[in-house]
Amino acid sequence: MLLACAVSLVASAAFSVMFNAPKKSVIPGGVVGMIAWMLYIGLPAYFHASQVFSTFVAAFVAGAICQVFARIFCMPVIVFSVSGMIPLVPGGTAYDTMRHLAEGSYNQAVQLASETFLMAGAIAFGLVLSGTFIPFFLKRLRKAR
Amino acid sequence: MRRRNKGMYMDNQSYSISDVMELCLLAGKLMLEGGAETHRVEDTITRLAMNYRVETINVFSTPTAIIVSMREENTPSDYTKLVRIHDRSTNLQLITLVNDLSRRAGRDRLSLQEARNELLKIQKSPAVYSTLVHIIAAVLGSGCFTLMFQGSYADFFPSVLAGGVGYSLFLAFRRFVSVKFFSEVVSSFTIGLIARICVHFGFGVQLDKIIIGSVMPLVPGLLITNAIRDLMSGDLFSGLSRGAEAFLTAFAIGTGIAFVIAAG
């Protein structure tokens, strides 16, 4: 568990470096990616949630944290959200789809392809939902204070 | 994006509308080259222009071109200009700096000359990380992703090797070959080949996990995210073209890997 934490943190931070993120945002970007990944593997393991649903939840929570970080560090949201989304990208299923296509087992390929699309859609939906609600919520919070 | 100026602007300097246009287009160009989402590009351009005697402004931005049309106050006609964007990469630092400048220009009341100097300085500033650091990051990222996708510890080093070589090859090709598709196919093919050779000689166990991890640095993560963002915020044109680019990239990676798998 601790290892998964560390590995996903390093991986997400490495991706923010590859995307030329400002130095100050590399570690926070890694933290966002770590949280997204822990939710993504934790929800199916402990709550028997489906893969697509846990992707959605992870994307939503990561998006919300990105919004908060963007305000704390005074940087555009995209700086954090990119490295946060990278662990959720359905690279594994996309690869399996490709492999089955190359091997000629089309039925399985179609099944995997639809799963890939659903997961990509879940990331998008989670991200957009948090991008719509969280700024509204944060504005209310600031006004109340 | 269309807006009408209601605020106050600094009027103590002499500049023409074409200077304002130059400033706005340069800012937009830098942001798009850094991979910013369409909404943010249009927002930055509008925000910048609003500081400098512009009455109305219309911005239309796509991943490959920006069109800006603005009207100076007390003049009857609009002034329109187009700029083409040729190379797009991912540079979040660039986006942050330009976005910062556009906010500062309004808050600190920067003059046009000051704003332009700052922008030119941003344009000339060197990359945040050297190529070597990029490759090290790719190496670390590949290895970690292999572990994350339940690869065994024995798979860590093969994927480090394949990911590092693949990404270096991708960077080198991108510098000399203008067709991005080609460099992606070649580097993913190389990744597949290295992974296969490693597994064949008992250096690494699961071929699939090694390949998935090493291919991650090439995956168009930012493009996909941006495409969806653009579509959802109503910039349909940009969203579709970014989606097409992301699909093409994914297809290129898939093709390179499929060559290796289908080979036997």
Side-chain angles (χ1 to χ4, degrees):
Chain A
M1 201 65 185
L2 209 63
L3 183 86
C5 264
V7 165
S8 55
L9 181 90
V10 172
S12 309
F15 270 81
S16 7
V17 169
M18 265 155 52
F19 290 142
N20 287 306
K23 280 180 184 145
K24 227 170 50 172
S25 75
V26 169
I27 299 295
V31 171
V32 175
M34 182 185 83
I35 293 168
W37 180 251
M38 291 328 275
L39 282 173
Y40 172 72
I41 58 168
L43 287 180
Y46 293 106
F47 299 99
H48 304 289
S50 73
Q51 200 104 84
V52 176
F53 180 72
S54 51
T55 306
F56 164 73
V57 172
F60 180 81
V61 174
I65 298 167
C66 289
Q67 297 280 344
V68 175
F69 276 3
R71 278 160 183 75
I72 294 175
F73 292 93
C74 294
M75 283 175 191
V77 179
I78 190 172
V79 174
F80 303 104
S81 64
V82 166
S83 51
M85 289 312 128
I86 278 288
L88 299 181
V89 169
T93 33
Y95 170 81
D96 279 340
T97 310
M98 200 62 225
R99 207 192 60 198
H100 282 106
L101 270 181
E103 285 168 352
S105 43
Y106 298 115
N107 278 333
Q108 253 172 325
V110 169
Q111 199 179 338
L112 283 164
S114 57
E115 198 176 316
T116 311
F117 271 112
L118 268 179
M119 276 161 79
I123 298 177
F125 190 53
L127 208 62
V128 169
L129 210 63
S130 68
T132 325
F133 279 116
I134 304 299
F136 178 73
F137 179 69
L138 286 175
K139 214 176 267 172
R140 291 285 292 273
L141 204 71
R142 197 175 294 169
K143 239 179 233 168
R145 241 196 290 157
Chain B
M1 182 172 285
R2 179 190 164 85
R3 205 192 278 176
R4 193 169 255 289
N5 204 345
K6 292 195 218 90
M8 293 182 299
Y9 20 81
M10 302 181 305
D11 233 352
N12 49 358
Q13 268 142 346
S14 61
Y15 47 79
S16 66
I17 191 91
S18 68
D19 291 334
V20 181
M21 186 68 100
E22 289 290 321
L23 180 80
C24 291
L25 284 181
L26 181 60
K29 189 169 181 245
L30 288 181
M31 288 199 91
L32 267 186
E33 281 174 354
E37 63 271 50
T38 306
H39 176 77
R40 189 170 291 283
V41 174
E42 295 184 351
D43 187 56
T44 304
I45 290 178
T46 314
R47 203 192 292 273
L48 260 179
M50 286 297 114
N51 297 320
Y52 305 107
R53 253 189 351 232
V54 172
E55 194 183 79
T56 56
I57 179 163
N58 278 286
V59 186
F60 177 63
S61 154
T62 74
T64 50
I66 311 173
I67 306 170
V68 180
S69 172
M70 50 172 79
R71 179 184 294 183
E72 199 175 2
E73 53 169 359
N74 307 324
T75 48
S77 55
D78 278 18
Y79 187 81
T80 305
K81 213 168 171 184
L82 165 93
V83 67
R84 273 284 273 134
I85 315 294
H86 288 290
D87 48 65
R88 295 178 298 280
S89 59
T90 310
N91 193 335
L92 298 175
Q93 165 90 355
L94 207 58
I95 300 173
T96 310
L97 288 177
V98 178
N99 184 57
D100 231 33
L101 176 69
S102 81
R103 282 166 199 277
R104 220 142 37 83
R107 200 179 54 223
D108 300 347
R109 315 209 125 238
L110 295 181
S111 71
L112 191 77
Q113 192 59 45
E114 281 170 341
R116 189 165 54 195
N117 286 346
E118 295 243 350
L119 210 54
L120 288 174
K121 211 161 72 190
I122 293 171
Q123 191 185 21
K124 287 207 186 78
S125 66
V128 208
Y129 309 103
S130 63
T131 313
L132 186 69
V133 176
H134 273 258
I135 291 172
I136 292 172
V139 161
L140 271 178
S142 316
C144 289
F145 265 108
T146 301
L147 290 185
M148 278 159 76
F149 291 127
Q150 272 115 42
S152 59
Y153 292 105
D155 298 331
F156 183 79
F157 287 105
S159 80
V160 157
L161 181 70
V165 172
Y167 192 67
S168 321
L169 211 63
F170 174 69
L171 289 182
F173 264 107
R174 212 178 51 178
R175 199 164 287 176
F176 301 117
V177 186
S178 60
V179 185
K180 226 175 110 203
F181 188 81
F182 181 72
S183 52
E184 279 149 2
V185 171
V186 170
S187 39
S188 64
F189 177 73
T190 314
I191 286 172
L193 206 63
I194 291 176
R196 211 157 169 170
I197 291 169
C198 283
V199 172
H200 186 259
F201 288 106
F203 185 55
V205 188
Q206 292 155 286
L207 179 68
D208 295 352
K209 309 294 179 197
I210 298 173
I211 289 179
I212 297 173
S214 328
V215 145
M216 278 310 273
L218 306 178
V219 166
L222 182 77
L223 271 174
I224 296 170
T225 328
N226 269 350
I228 293 159
R229 276 277 174 80
D230 283 354
L231 279 178
M232 295 283 177
S233 61
D235 300 310
L236 302 179
F237 195 83
S238 312
L240 284 182
S241 47
R242 279 213 169 102
E245 197 183 359
F247 186 76
L248 201 65
T249 309
F251 186 67
I253 297 171
T255 311
I257 297 297
F259 270 139
V260 178
I261 295 172

